[in-house]
Amino acid sequence: MDEVLLLHGFNKTAKDMETLANHLEKLGFRCHSITLPLTRREFDYSVHFVLDRLKDIEENHPERIHLVGHSTGGLLIRKVLTHSDIPARIGRCVQLATPNQGSQLAALAGSLKGYSSLFRTVKSLHATYIQKLNMTNVAGVEIGAIAGTNSNLWLGQLIKGQNDGRVEVSSVHYADLTDFTTLPYGHKDIHHQRETAALTAQFLQSGHFLAEQEGDL
């Protein structure tokens, strides 16, 4: 049974990934979650917490270890993969609604006096910050990304282009992805959907997003 480490997004905890964990476990994965300081610290500050958890999983389980991250958690995956000391049994990775090209809303928030200094994770979602990190996938791990297309949050009205209410679809896609797809869900609910779990499982197993098969869950 393959292992999956789930990484939550900005201002959340491991609890936010419980629904996805339950769906993935029904599909044959053993899931682990970790609560990270993704509110008042830049997202890359959390890298070593993730590396330590990965090494702990590797010591106790012989199977492959996959990574799945929602929103900011997906950016953290990319930063983790820049490190040469990641476990040898890393499998595949899936990002859900991750602002790989930066967040328009983060840029807007940065214009509010004091906001970025208090919520420093948001500061690290700026396109310029992400570019400076030079997040090269040194291990060559396969990464798939799923973007949401349902702009069902009022902040989505402030975003130019198709978006999920928080992150624009064009920001989720980037050149080094192995595969990319979209689902008709919003930013706050995409990782709670059975269809998202089914597509995530398919990528972790095959390296591609395939059409969901009836009865997967």
Side-chain angles (χ1 to χ4, degrees), residues 79-142:
K79 186 59 180 174
V80 166
L81 296 180
T82 69
H83 285 251
S84 58
D85 59 343
I86 62 172
R89 291 201 303 274
I90 289 292
R92 298 185 174 100
C93 301
V94 173
Q95 300 176 311
L96 306 174
T98 294
N100 285 301
Q101 307 286 354
S103 165
Q104 291 181 31
L105 288 180
L108 290 172
S111 66
L112 301 176
K113 186 177 180 179
Y115 190 91
S116 290
S117 59
L118 181 61
F119 299 105
R120 291 165 66 182
T121 300
V122 171
K123 176 183 176 181
S124 66
L125 302 183
H126 289 214
T128 52
Y129 186 97
I130 293 170
Q131 291 167 2
K132 288 178 180 178
L133 290 179
N134 190 26
M135 294 189 288
T136 303
N137 183 356
V138 296
V141 173
E142 293 177 303

Side-chain angles (χ1 to χ4, degrees), residues 66 89 123 158 206 212:
H66 305 291
R89 291 201 303 274
K123 176 183 176 181
L158 304 178
S206 69
E212 184 180 5

Side-chain angles (χ1 to χ4, degrees), residues 5-8 33-38 43-58 65-68 72-73 75-81 83 85-87 90 93:
L5 178 59
L6 301 169
L7 305 180
H8 62 81
S33 294
I34 180 174
T35 294
L36 297 159
L38 292 177
F43 75 82
D44 44 309
Y45 173 80
S46 295
V47 166
H48 294 291
F49 294 97
V50 178
L51 290 173
D52 288 346
R53 188 72 179 97
L54 285 171
K55 291 171 184 176
D56 178 65
I57 295 171
E58 185 181 43
I65 309 169
H66 305 291
L67 287 163
V68 176
T72 307
L75 283 175
L76 184 53
I77 287 174
R78 288 180 61 193
K79 186 59 180 174
V80 166
L81 296 180
H83 285 251
D85 59 343
I86 62 172
I90 289 292
C93 301

